[in-house]
């Protein structure tokens, strides 16, 4: 009897964190089913989804009955259980560098522009729509600047930590998606854009692009 | 000849991310020197500090000449190079759970209340000081609520993932420091406060408390 590993990803086309996990699964060649949770209409706060992830956010990944939360721990988990196409390098200093690159967006930038935060900025802080957009663009640009400075000191070769895309590249490509959604000019960040272009040339990244997911509009 | 491992932590008394790394080092019994970078006066943006961390944030940790950035990757690094007192459990699903707990504050909550963000909320979004405080309290309470729900489903035993404090506990204790600084009532979150109390009873946590660091005021 063959045991078939069952993986369900609760994600959403527009969710950059879901993009990260989707890309990691595809890089590793792991098959999965994705169930969309519409975070723009607040489906992540529904009782049904609370039963899956009481953190009320996507992505959540269910693997053989166990639910895993947060994109970064999910990617680390996939890397620990599935050795094909490692997402992290072997040396401890390189692993720390890859994780630090990931957190520039996962911690310092992306959490500032998720729907619940933009909603608070608009509704509670009474920022008008242009100011909410400017807020999202500001933190996107801050992240791009940090990436450009870090990658200037340690140039991609050709990916962030070696010759295959991994955790850091996934997160940087996701950050570029934020720049795309919020119409940020990325020309001042040539090293970041070069790295991202090399990512999009890979099927695992291209197929995971938000605009190619079910439910996405024809143009964002 | 004995090789002495040299560890320098660039931190700041008020920095919750620095608290995390300080506690991890102490839990592991690793000696280190801490150099304060005053993030309230913007010292993290100085050219001198840019040479150390062009990410312009604390903590940064220099280990035998190599600079490591971001509190979570630094803690993972310490766990990889120093086996004493593991910060993460062994099983992949438990490691993912511990990391997910960490990211509730490291990604979803704490980045919203660091000085640069409070500054933007006050100066650019023109929120008055009470609204800036309410902003920080709101995201602190959101994080506390998420922790309480998660820890209700998987009760601490007595720490988040087993009988010794690790990565998740460090991050939860740090989140409670945010609640302390922003004067949030933590009574509605008894499981979180119970876990944090068990942390503060440990010397590694108590000695790492912001108010016990050089430069801290007598009362916050």
């Amino acid at each position: 009897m063959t045991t078939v590993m069952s993986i369900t990803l609760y994600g959403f086309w527009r969710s950059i964190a879901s993009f990260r996990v989707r890309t990691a699964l595809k890089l590793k060649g792991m098959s999965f089913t994705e169930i969309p949770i519409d975070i723009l209409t607040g489906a992540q706060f529904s009782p049904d989804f609370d039963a899956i992830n009481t953190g009320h956010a996507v992505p959540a990944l269910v693997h053989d009955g166990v639910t895993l939360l947060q994109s970064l721990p999910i990617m680390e988990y996939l890397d620990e259980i599935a050795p094909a196409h490692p997402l992290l390098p072997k040396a401890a200093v390189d692993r720390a560098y890859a994780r630090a690159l990931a957190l520039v967006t996962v911690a310092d930038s992306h959490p500032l522009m998720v729907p619940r935060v933009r909603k608070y900025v608009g509704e509670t802080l009474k920022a008008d729509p242009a100011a909410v957009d400017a807020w999202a663009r500001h933190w996107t640009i801050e992240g791009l600047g940090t990436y450009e400075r870090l990658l200037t000191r340690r140039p991609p070769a050709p990916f962030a930590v070696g010759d295959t895309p991994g955790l850091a590249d996934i997160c940087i490509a996701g950050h570029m998606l934020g720049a795309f959604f919020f119409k940020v000019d990325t020309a001042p960040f040539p090293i970041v854009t070069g790295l991202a272009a090399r990512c999009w040339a890979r099927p695992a990244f291209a197929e995971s692009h938000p605009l190619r997911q079910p439910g996405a509009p024809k143009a964002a």
Side-chain angles (χ1 to χ4, degrees), chain A residues 31-197:
Chain A
S31 64
F32 63 99
T33 305
E34 183 165 343
I35 297 177
I37 303 297
D38 187 345
I39 59 172
L40 296 178
T41 60
Q44 71 273 37
F45 301 110
S46 72
D48 279 357
F49 190 66
D50 177 82
I52 296 160
N53 177 10
T54 195
H56 301 163
V58 292
L61 184 136
V62 180
H63 177 212
D64 287 343
V66 178
T67 304
L68 307 157
L69 310 177
Q70 295 273 357
S71 65
L72 200 57
I74 293 172
M75 291 190 286
E76 296 256 9
Y77 173 83
L78 296 175
D79 217 33
E80 290 179 2
I81 65 161
H85 192 106
L87 301 177
L88 284 168
K90 282 203 170 62
V93 291
D94 290 335
R95 294 165 71 83
Y97 175 65
R99 289 175 174 134
L101 286 176
L103 283 163
V104 169
T105 191
V106 170
D108 292 348
S109 178
H110 180 246
L112 299 167
M113 61 198 74
V114 296
R116 67 196 174 99
V117 175
R118 294 206 309 277
K119 188 167 186 274
Y120 189 103
V121 169
E123 293 179 8
T124 306
L125 297 180
K126 310 289 184 205
D128 62 29
V132 177
D133 270 3
W135 158 272
R137 277 199 300 277
H138 175 80
W139 299 115
T140 302
I141 291 166
E142 286 286 300
L144 286 167
T146 300
Y147 276 133
E148 191 73 10
R149 293 194 305 275
L150 287 167
L151 297 176
T152 298
R153 295 198 186 172
R154 179 171 170 170
F159 291 98
V161 194
D163 56 7
T164 53
L167 187 82
D169 309 283
I170 290 171
C171 293
I172 293 171
H175 193 77
M176 287 292 281
L177 288 174
F180 168 73
F181 284 132
F182 294 112
K183 300 181 172 57
V184 168
D185 176 15
T186 57
F189 312 101
I191 306 179
V192 185
T193 52
L195 174 65

